[in-house]
Amino acid sequence: MSDALLVVGQTVLLVLLAPLWAGLVAAMKARLQMRQGSPVWQRWRDLIKLAAKETVLSEDASPLARVVPYAVLAASFTVCALTPVLSTRDGLGFAGDLVMIVALFAAVRVLLSLLALEAGTTFGGMAASRHLALSALGEPAMIMSVFTLAIGAGSTQLARISAAVATAPNEWLSPSHLLALTAMWLVVLAEIGRVPVDNPATHLELTMVHEGLLLDTSGRHLALLEWAAHVRTLVLLTFVANLFVPWGIAPSTAPAALGVALVAWLAKLMLFALIIAVTESVTARMRLFRVPEFLGMAFLLALLALSTDSMLRR
């Protein structure tokens, strides 16, 4: 399989499975809480239903409100193309690395915050300020966590980092790796808006963070933004699966190796879904003023991981 075909296949896989993963978490939570719940493919039903509805914009909204949903979706799809899913081949690695991906995530945050301010409502401004403040705390921790692995790989290309970690299984239990993995997991929970940082099922205006950004969006624009959010969630979980625990990822593009990699990747995603479902069933959302402490702990763990790794390599 050629690199171009591999990139297209991995991107399509992320784009199509992202809403299904969100539905899987909801189904697992329903079973744990003794409820029937909705089917796994319910998120796709919701997106299709929203896409068929009319988009209503505020009279005070600028043309930016019409552009942001498409720009956010395009940026999310671009991150998919740069993410190693099944193989450690570079693919489009020449077009972007960790720095580019972090920049795209930052651009998405800014665009979503501007969109929340477009309607001129109080809740949109509250959600935008909270979103940017929490992102400013979580982004450094995420960068340092991945940089801990990038030092050993000698590159910031995600595929090369995954290949370096996969070929050194003895380092998976090193203190620096475990610290970086813990820090990354805490940041991912904050970035995808899950408990204990945020609750995606709530619609209480005074407590929402991520959901508050889309409070004044409707119709096709809301479908695009929800789809992009599902895609970014699956991308971040793939970072954890294939950078920090790259069990089964294929070193080549042989069909048999890619088949094993697909099974391993799906198994890790199901494990992550189960962990999140159990966590959200037994844990309450923390108060908003405690979230900076949560992300501060992630930053401290990432800093310790980076310092420990640098000392061990001297």
Side-chain angles (χ1 to χ4, degrees):
M1 181 183 294
S2 64
D3 289 345
L5 187 59
L6 176 65
V7 170
V8 172
Q10 292 182 151
T11 303
V12 172
L13 197 61
L14 286 171
V15 168
L16 294 181
L17 291 184
L20 295 179
W21 186 88
L24 178 63
V25 175
M28 286 183 174
K29 286 177 61 179
R31 295 301 182 184
L32 290 172
Q33 297 170 6
M34 303 300 176
R35 296 185 289 108
Q36 181 176 357
S38 56
V40 174
W41 52 86
Q42 183 62 44
R43 295 299 184 273
W44 267 117
R45 287 181 177 177
D46 296 339
L47 293 177
I48 295 173
K49 186 183 299 184
L50 285 173
K53 293 185 177 181
E54 180 185 0
T55 300
V56 180
L57 295 175
S58 171
E59 296 179 354
D60 300 324
S62 69
L64 182 66
R66 301 181 182 275
V67 178
V68 166
Y70 299 95
V72 169
L73 188 65
S76 302
F77 284 5
T78 302
V79 173
C80 290
L82 302 175
T83 303
V85 179
L86 303 179
S87 176
T88 57
R89 296 290 294 271
D90 276 344
L92 288 182
F94 65 89
D97 57 358
L98 173 63
V99 179
M100 175 62 73
I101 290 176
V102 171
L104 288 172
F105 276 129
V108 168
R109 295 188 193 101
V110 173
L111 289 174
L112 289 176
S113 299
L114 292 176
L115 180 63
L117 296 172
E118 281 293 319
T121 61
T122 303
F123 293 123
M126 291 171 57
S129 63
R130 293 172 179 175
H131 181 65
L132 291 178
L134 297 181
S135 299
L137 296 173
E139 187 175 286
M142 180 174 66
I143 294 175
M144 286 194 296
S145 297
V146 183
F147 271 167
T148 302
L149 307 182
I151 292 175
S155 173
T156 56
Q157 302 285 350
L158 297 185
R160 297 181 184 178
I161 295 174
S162 180
V165 177
T167 55
N170 293 332
E171 295 186 4
W172 291 357
L173 297 179
S174 65
S176 60
H177 188 95
L178 295 178
L179 288 171
L181 173 59
T182 305
M184 186 66 179
W185 181 254
L186 297 181
V187 173
V188 167
L189 290 179
E191 288 291 332
I192 65 179
R194 310 300 303 203
V195 175
V197 177
D198 196 9
N199 186 358
T202 184
H203 285 84
L204 298 176
E205 290 86 350
L206 295 178
T207 61
M208 287 189 298
V209 180
H210 295 81
E211 292 294 323
L213 297 171
L214 310 180
L215 198 60
D216 299 300
T217 311
S218 62
R220 182 175 61 256
H221 288 179
L222 181 57
L224 296 176
L225 292 174
E226 291 282 3
W227 192 12
H230 292 321
V231 169
R232 293 195 304 276
T233 295
L234 197 60
V235 166
L236 288 171
L237 292 171
T238 301
F239 285 173
V240 178
N242 287 347
L243 296 183
F244 292 87
V245 282
W247 301 326
I249 192 168
S252 64
T253 56
L258 293 178
V260 173
L262 177 61
V263 173
W265 178 63
L266 293 176
K268 285 181 280 188
L269 291 182
M270 292 183 66
L271 176 61
F272 295 159
L274 179 61
I275 293 174
I276 290 177
V278 172
T279 302
E280 293 188 351
S281 298
V282 301
T283 306
R285 177 187 181 276
M286 66 176 61
R287 295 182 179 181
L288 185 63
F289 70 88
R290 298 293 302 274
V291 177
E293 299 178 7
F294 180 85
L295 293 176
M297 181 173 62
F299 178 82
L300 179 60
L301 292 174
L303 182 60
L304 289 174
L306 189 61
S307 303
T308 304
D309 185 76
S310 299
M311 289 187 295
L312 292 177
R313 295 184 183 280
R314 287 181 179 178

